Amino acid sequence: MTDLSDPGFPAPPPLGVSALPAGTFDGEAVFVTGAGTGLGKAIAVEFARLGASVVVASRKPEHLDAGAAAIREVGADVVTAQCDIRDADAIAAAFDTATDAFGLPGILVNNAAANFPSPAEDLSPNAWRTVVDITLNGTFLCAREFARRHLAAGSPASILNVGASYAWTGGPGFAHSAAAKAGVKNLVETLAVEWGPAGIRVNGLVPGLFPHEDMTDDIRGSLDRTHDKDPCQPALRVGERQELGWAATFLASPYARFISGHTLVVDGANWQRRTLTNPPVVPIRDQLGLGPFENTDQVG
Ligand code: HXC
Ligand code: NAP
């Protein structure tokens, strides 16, 4: 049993405080995918607070508007670029929009991802393909477009891939996302070496549990079934969005110029094993409140 009199990790400094010197990103532009919601928005706002201009890239107009409003609120310049990161041409057009507005962005944050809980056996081929296509292929296509432009220009740059810790542990109920995130994490290592000589750093950033108001209904539902989230973390609390923003801005900053090929996990040690044996096994269908598997594809 968790002793709730234990203090756990203290709360972080409040939202709005920056970890890096003011103006660290003056004159720079950062391209953030999925910056209109949740953690992408929090990361983008932290760059903006430190002087960066921001490109908010995603599919839905309401998300683009929300991201732009959040950046303007902290007094930074922003442009939105509607694109589906599964579409290489749309990504190229988004980088054109960004470059017209601010010059070629020096930082890319590959934050956009897709996810919903499902037992693996229930996933249709298209459901699997959709999550892998957005999370892994989309991340690669954005990195490729960004790097090609910097390689041609001979300019240094920095890429951050947002991951998830089930890249290492596996993710029951999230087979598609966990497999895709394992690919995203592996890309960090390969691309850091391939593009290092050209001055392009590539790092990963893995959030632990960071609940926020924009979570999709599916993810929120899964989270709501997980009781007592705070005492289930070694830190005895979940993450606060500014903690991710500080980590992201550090990794992309001049103070991290010798860091590349690294994935930083910001999760209060939640993914490490903490007992000699694990808790009792609860089948994933039971965790998701589902009945027995029925193969509706079977004929006869
Ligand atoms: C089973 C589902 C499903 C669900 C969709 N599908 N939702 N299958 N359970 N809940 C299936 C569909 O039936 C379809 O397959 C296929 O997936 C594609 O669905 P579409 O709706 O056509 O896809 P699309 O419009 O491209 O939307 C993608 C999406 C959607 C992933 C389904 O949820 C989305 O746009 N999400 C973006 C935001 C997001 O996912 N954020 C979560 C990030 S959080 P068929 O066979 O019927 O054609 C994260 C880590 C959280 O990654 C960590 C946990 C705490
Ligand atoms: P979120 O609010 O659902 O954000 C996902 C974003 O991705 C949305 O803004 C969405 O914008 C964008 N997106 C999805 N599909 C896209 C596509 N095809 N093209 C372009 N943009 C697309 O989720 P979040 O919780 O902030 O997650 C952000 C990142 O953190 C993800 O990589 C996620 O895997 C990771 N993560 C989160 C947690 C957590 O606790 N929240 C934990 C571990 C990892 P549009 O709908 O407008 O396209």
Side-chain angles (χ1 to χ4, degrees):
M1 278 290 283
T2 307
D3 177 358
L4 291 178
S5 64
D6 281 345
F9 287 11
L15 188 66
V17 171
S18 290
L20 295 173
T24 293
F25 296 104
D26 277 355
E28 291 231 44
V30 55
F31 188 110
V32 186
T33 64
T37 65
L39 304 187
K41 187 164 77 177
I43 289 170
V45 166
E46 191 55 31
F47 276 102
R49 275 198 194 99
L50 290 165
S53 303
V54 176
V55 185
V56 175
S58 79
R59 298 165 300 175
K60 297 186 182 150
E62 66 271 26
H63 292 165
L64 295 169
D65 290 347
I71 301 302
R72 284 196 196 102
E73 208 171 293
V74 296
D77 291 332
V78 62
V79 70
T80 59
Q82 189 170 23
C83 82
D84 188 321
I85 59 168
R86 289 168 283 193
D87 178 346
D89 292 339
I91 293 168
F95 273 100
D96 287 344
T97 301
T99 306
D100 287 347
F102 303 128
L104 180 58
I107 300 163
L108 165 65
V109 182
N110 272 316
N111 163 80
N115 199 8
F116 49 79
S118 172
E121 65 273 16
D122 285 358
L123 288 170
S124 72
N126 192 38
W128 170 272
R129 206 179 292 122
T130 298
V131 170
V132 174
D133 210 9
I134 296 173
T135 304
L136 177 57
N137 300 350
T139 293
F140 174 70
L141 291 176
C142 289
R144 171 186 175 274
E145 184 63 39
F146 176 82
R148 285 164 73 105
R149 290 175 186 236
H150 279 286
L151 292 168
S155 44
S158 176
I159 299 175
L160 280 188
N161 285 351
V162 178
S165 59
Y166 48 38
W168 293 280
T169 61
F174 298 98
H176 44 8
S177 169
K181 290 294 193 185
V184 165
K185 186 246 165 211
N186 191 270
L187 262 182
V188 166
E189 285 126 35
T190 302
L191 300 182
V193 173
E194 283 203 24
W195 296 337
I200 301 174
R201 297 190 295 115
V202 187
N203 287 298
L205 179 63
V206 164
L209 198 50
F210 279 79
H212 59 77
E213 66 279 5
D214 296 322
M215 279 178 148
T216 60
D217 292 343
D218 278 334
I219 301 288
R220 164 74 50 202
S222 255
L223 211 60
D224 289 347
R225 276 189 297 274
T226 312
H227 61 95
D228 291 343
K229 286 168 279 296
D230 289 345
C232 293
Q233 315 270 321
L236 300 185
R237 67 171 176 84
V238 295
E240 295 193 26
R241 67 192 69 185
Q242 63 269 32
E243 297 181 285
L244 207 61
W246 294 327
T249 48
F250 169 69
L251 283 174
S253 77
Y255 307 97
R257 278 195 181 141
F258 204 51
I259 301 177
S260 193
H262 181 72
T263 291
L264 179 61
V265 182
V266 183
D267 81 337
N270 189 47
W271 77 274
Q272 274 86 7
R273 188 172 171 140
R274 59 199 72 158
T275 51
L276 195 55
T277 60
N278 279 321
V281 173
V282 180
I284 193 64
R285 301 196 76 84
D286 293 348
Q287 288 185 42
L288 296 175
L290 300 172
F293 173 63
E294 284 173 35
N295 192 347
T296 49
D297 293 342
Q298 231 163 30
V299 190

